[in-house]
Amino acid sequence: MMRTCRALLPRPGRRLRSGPGRLWDLPGDLQKTVSNFQNQLKENVTNLFKNPFFDEKRPPMQAEVVIAGGGVMGWSVAYWLKALEPRKNTLRVLVVERDTTYSRASTVLSVGGIRQQFSLPENIQMSRYSAYFLRTINVCQEHLGVAGEPAIDIQFNPSGYLFLATEERAAMLEENVSIQRAEGSEVILLSPTQLKKKFPWLNTDGVALASYGLEDEGWFDPWSLLTAFRRKAISMGVHHCCGEVTSFTMAFYDTVTPTGEERTVSHIKYARIQMPDSLEYCQVACAIVVNAAGAWSRKLTEIAEVESSVSKTKQIFKLPVEPKKRYVYVWHSPDGPGLNCPMLIDTTGAYFRREGLGGNYVGGMSPAEDEEPDIQDLEVDHEFFQEKVWPKLAHRVPAFESLKVKGSWAGYYDYNTFDQNAVLGLHPTVLNMVFVTGFSGHGLQQSPAAGRAVAELILNKKFETINLSRFSADRFLSGEPVLERNIV
């Protein structure tokens, strides 16, 4: 028989007001909801810990914030919520992750790059903040160091990024570097002659210009960052469970937007969490749901949309984020670039970097739109390397003519089909769902900054450290994309 965790659910509040719509006051709504939950938690805390069903494997019955997705983005949000909460130990945060082995998680299947060479100031600022965060990761008071625990070693390799451009794209590359320098990034331009002098192993045919990052660019170990966020957040009191958010219980409001439009919007009251390998589920009362489900964030959004549209709301918001499978290949080339090897982005879109000290390299490239692979599994297409990737690598680095493939893997991008940029902020019609998704391949490197931004939005009603309002989901409704030219 299916058991349901229904003890200690909050008492019913006031009935929803009918009649004329009220003014759009989302921050006020969230603040009131959080305050109500804090009062309810204080009243029920004694009974909660007497509940024989409460243990570390099961979610609590109530949480101000439920984070759906326990990758690096979800744990970053959880950490920052606890680090920035105005009164310590008052905010209950729950992270829900369905794959606690992380065998299919995008975070650990990433190549781990970090760069400042973007074209949007917001992306540059996020990566600059993240680079600072990684440099100070072991500072106990401010970041992820835990007293009594070993220091965190993210194995950062500051070898830089090298972008190559053809004649047709040289002017755009110069413009990008101008923007990067304006944001404080140390990036230089190299002519083909300078490029050949610095990297003699490189074939410069077809290269008109290159940009090269001098600091805070390179790669690091994704697993180390994920486990550091997770360890620190748990030490600060964040709850976590293995499961999947499968449905919501909704409430509804009639509102008036700032433009005078009357709209019925919804509000998540409970998140239903399916327990692993079981028919059992737990229903968690919550004030805010953070959608950090990565490549599967649209599925979670659709759950809320269906619940809302079936009942009262007429407008259905479609989150344009979908999974895209990307292959990564590992090869050995004893005569390759060696230690003098940055993360190189070729004019063709192929990329590679050094892996360790033994003549090994990792790399790949994104397929053409009409060649997108099936996402049903994480099987690797080895012919893609042989036919599409290797010829480009061998042309750019003659030593790669004789490379030997040693291994491969595949992972998912949370690909924003609208403009390949992050979705950060509130759902347009589900008032207490917050997005942190759609990074299209650069989420890992921006996770420290993005997690802080979402925490600031939840706790302080606005972005404070970096203004990321440009990445609001409202741009999908207005049809105005925010274009990033340096997507890898």
Side-chain angles (χ1 to χ4, degrees):
M1 180 180 296
M2 179 168 58
R3 295 187 302 161
T4 308
C5 303
R6 298 184 181 276
L8 298 173
L9 295 181
R11 298 191 299 271
R14 291 189 307 174
R15 293 184 178 273
L16 297 178
R17 184 178 65 176
S18 59
R22 58 193 176 88
L23 291 178
W24 192 270
D25 185 23
L26 176 56
D29 290 339
L30 291 180
Q31 187 62 38
K32 291 177 183 177
T33 308
V34 169
S35 297
N36 289 339
F37 265 80
Q38 289 175 343
N39 291 333
Q40 291 165 359
L41 287 174
K42 187 180 297 184
E43 293 172 4
N44 291 329
V45 67
T46 302
N47 291 331
L48 179 63
F49 285 96
K50 290 180 180 179
N51 187 341
F53 296 107
F54 181 84
D55 59 52
E56 288 299 317
K57 296 181 181 180
R58 304 168 68 86
M61 300 302 152
Q62 300 170 317
E64 283 91 351
V65 182
V66 171
I67 300 173
V72 69
M73 204 63 74
W75 281 109
S76 175
V77 173
Y79 159 71
W80 281 114
L81 282 170
K82 297 302 289 183
L84 300 177
E85 63 180 340
R87 295 172 57 196
K88 296 302 178 184
N89 303 318
T90 58
L91 190 68
R92 176 164 290 180
V93 179
L94 169 66
V95 176
V96 183
E97 171 57 41
R98 63 181 180 179
D99 176 21
T100 53
T101 67
Y102 292 99
S103 60
R104 295 168 60 87
S106 298
T107 298
V108 298
L109 297 173
S110 165
V111 296
I114 181 169
R115 59 186 167 100
Q116 299 172 36
Q117 293 187 63
F118 290 94
S119 64
L120 288 175
E122 290 85 353
N123 279 331
I124 300 168
Q125 290 166 23
M126 277 198 285
S127 288
R128 282 180 56 77
Y129 181 85
S130 293
Y132 158 76
F133 184 91
L134 295 178
R135 287 199 310 270
T136 58
I137 199 168
N138 285 299
V139 179
C140 288
Q141 183 176 0
E142 188 172 359
H143 290 327
L144 301 188
V146 177
E149 296 286 343
I152 302 160
D153 180 12
I154 62 168
Q155 302 172 41
F156 180 64
N157 188 307
S159 295
Y161 265 68
L162 180 66
F163 278 83
L164 307 183
T166 60
E167 186 69 41
E168 292 78 14
R169 296 177 63 86
M172 186 181 73
L173 188 68
E174 286 187 277
E175 183 180 347
N176 291 346
V177 170
S178 177
I179 296 170
Q180 293 152 17
R181 288 172 174 171
E183 295 297 332
S185 300
E186 293 290 332
V187 182
I188 61 173
L189 291 168
L190 298 173
S191 68
T193 302
Q194 294 170 318
L195 194 59
K196 189 68 175 179
K197 183 177 180 180
K198 185 168 183 60
F199 304 108
W201 44 264
L202 192 67
N203 176 11
T204 59
D205 287 353
V207 177
L209 193 65
S211 61
Y212 180 56
L214 297 180
E215 67 177 21
D216 290 339
E217 289 195 334
W219 55 90
F220 61 93
D221 178 33
W223 177 251
S224 295
L225 181 61
L226 170 62
T227 54
F229 267 126
R230 186 177 185 273
R231 182 183 70 173
K232 180 69 171 184
I234 292 173
S235 76
M236 300 169 80
V238 171
H239 295 261
H240 58 101
C241 73
C242 180
E244 183 176 4
V245 177
T246 58
S247 65
F248 299 112
T249 300
M250 315 294 290
F252 300 90
Y253 298 87
D254 294 324
T255 69
V256 178
T257 70
T259 60
E261 175 189 0
E262 293 186 2
R263 182 184 297 178
T264 300
V265 294
S266 56
H267 182 281
I268 298 170
K269 294 179 64 179
Y270 304 100
R272 177 171 169 166
I273 301 172
Q274 188 73 47
M275 307 307 290
D277 302 319
S278 171
L279 295 177
E280 181 185 15
Y281 71 89
C282 289
Q283 188 158 270
V284 179
C286 56
I288 296 167
V289 172
V290 176
N291 187 339
W296 316 108
S297 54
R298 184 173 70 179
K299 178 182 177 182
L300 186 68
T301 307
E302 288 173 346
I303 293 172
E305 291 164 358
V306 169
E307 297 280 3
S308 299
S309 62
V310 166
S311 302
K312 287 191 176 184
T313 61
K314 296 180 180 179
Q315 183 177 7
I316 297 179
F317 168 78
K318 295 296 184 183
L319 179 69
V321 174
E322 60 185 51
K324 297 280 189 181
K325 186 163 74 171
R326 295 291 180 261
Y327 308 123
V328 179
Y329 303 92
V330 184
W331 63 88
H332 182 68
S333 178
D335 299 321
L339 295 178
N340 185 26
C341 180
M343 175 81 85
L344 185 145
I345 315 299
D346 189 35
T347 58
T348 61
Y351 70 89
F352 69 89
R353 66 164 173 83
R354 177 172 57 83
E355 175 66 11
L357 305 176
N360 296 317
Y361 302 85
V362 299
M365 67 179 292
S366 295
E369 189 172 340
D370 59 353
E371 297 177 330
E372 284 289 348
D374 187 355
I375 64 169
Q376 298 305 311
D377 56 50
L378 287 177
E379 294 297 318
V380 175
D381 182 354
H382 297 283
E383 290 185 2
F384 182 75
F385 181 84
Q386 188 71 21
E387 298 176 3
K388 303 291 184 178
V389 183
W390 175 66
K392 297 175 176 61
L393 295 174
H395 171 74
R396 190 58 64 204
V397 183
F400 286 165
E401 279 277 1
S402 57
L403 63 78
K404 183 176 181 181
V405 177
K406 306 288 286 185
S408 60
W409 73 84
Y412 293 115
Y413 275 11
D414 54 337
Y415 193 82
N416 177 355
T417 60
F418 186 71
D419 59 15
Q420 293 80 62
N421 269 304
V423 187
L424 285 164
L426 298 161
H427 191 297
T429 57
V430 180
L431 294 187
N432 60 337
M433 176 176 279
V434 181
F435 292 121
V436 55
T437 185
F439 288 82
S440 305
H442 49 272
L444 172 68
Q445 63 183 287
Q446 295 180 341
S447 58
R452 178 167 189 145
V454 170
E456 289 172 351
L457 183 64
I458 292 172
L459 296 172
N460 305 322
K461 312 174 192 176
K462 62 181 180 179
F463 298 119
E464 294 186 331
T465 305
I466 305 172
N467 184 2
L468 299 177
S469 56
R470 196 174 187 182
F471 294 142
S472 163
D474 290 341
R475 70 187 193 271
F476 306 137
L477 302 179
S478 64
E480 299 176 359
V482 179
L483 298 178
E484 170 58 60
R485 294 186 293 230
N486 278 12
I487 297 295
V488 178

